[in-house]
Amino acid sequence: MTVLDTQTRTTKPVGMSDAEWQARLELAACYRIFDHLGWVEMVFNHITVRVPGEDGHLLINPFGLMYDEVTASNLVKIDLDGNILSDSDWPINEAGLLIHSVIHANRPDAHCIMHTHTTAGTGVACLRGGLDPDNFYAAQLHDMVAYHNFEGVTVDPEEKPRLVANLGERNLMVLRNHGLLALGPTLPAAFSALWTLQRACEIQLAAQSSGQPLTPVTLEAAVRSTKESFQMGDRTQAGRTLFTALRRRIDRIAPDYAV
Ligand SMILES: [Zn+2]
């Protein structure tokens, strides 16, 4: 068994739908983008997407691989209970899947769910006041971020209803003392939302580390920024330009994601 095929697979595997192969390519590229950006936590954390046309089926990273080893063909197809449905040399992280599976099950609009433990994201998640509104990116997230209190390492099924209730209809959540979560009707939409939140966290910590008082963003400016940033145009197109540009970079620097 090898981690990565040395034979580049330029066409989808026999018997796989074109829609699934395209979803695998997009998701594998996303794992490489996260790696490129440093949004990685060793072999932990997950990005999941639904398999188009297959109700209740998800794609997830194999447990044990770094993000720069994830490829379109080694992504694992599972159901919402974590049963593996595709041929895989690797297991999945069932504990890590809990957050993703319960949200996919309860949010039909969640095509894609991303969860990170970045230093900036987890750092802000540890602050009593959470996300501060006083920077360019946080101002675009007014009333868009949910919070969920820390109960442990998210392996207890009894936490599921509280996760779902605290998320509500929002697409971003700060898991207090833990990390960040984003979802979207498309992978690029989830990515652009998470990128905005990640940048807000990075800038908040940089500004707060100065020890100087921050210049407040007015409520009016935050409301307007959020409206202009997220409510314009077709939401399904959100993030598409950004993600496509990053995927071109991955095509240049890590084209083996597509095997
Ligand atoms: Zn986590």
Side-chain angles (χ1 to χ4, degrees), residues 83-104:
N83 297 305
I84 294 177
L85 305 174
S86 58
D87 290 334
S88 177
D89 295 327
W90 297 88
I92 61 157
N93 181 355
E94 292 186 28
L97 174 66
L98 185 143
I99 297 174
H100 292 251
S101 61
V102 71
I103 295 173
H104 277 298

Side-chain angles (χ1 to χ4, degrees), residues 17-24 49-55 57 59 111:
S17 72
D18 187 57
E20 177 177 341
W21 184 239
Q22 294 305 318
R24 284 174 173 269
V49 298
R50 297 182 190 277
V51 180
E54 297 186 23
D55 191 31
H57 292 176
L59 296 172
H111 168 71

Side-chain angles (χ1 to χ4, degrees), residues 2 4 34 36 125 184:
T2 56
L4 293 177
F34 273 44
H36 179 65

Side-chain angles (χ1 to χ4, degrees), residues 45 99 115 117 178:
N45 288 172
I99 297 174
H115 171 50
H117 290 184
H178 179 171

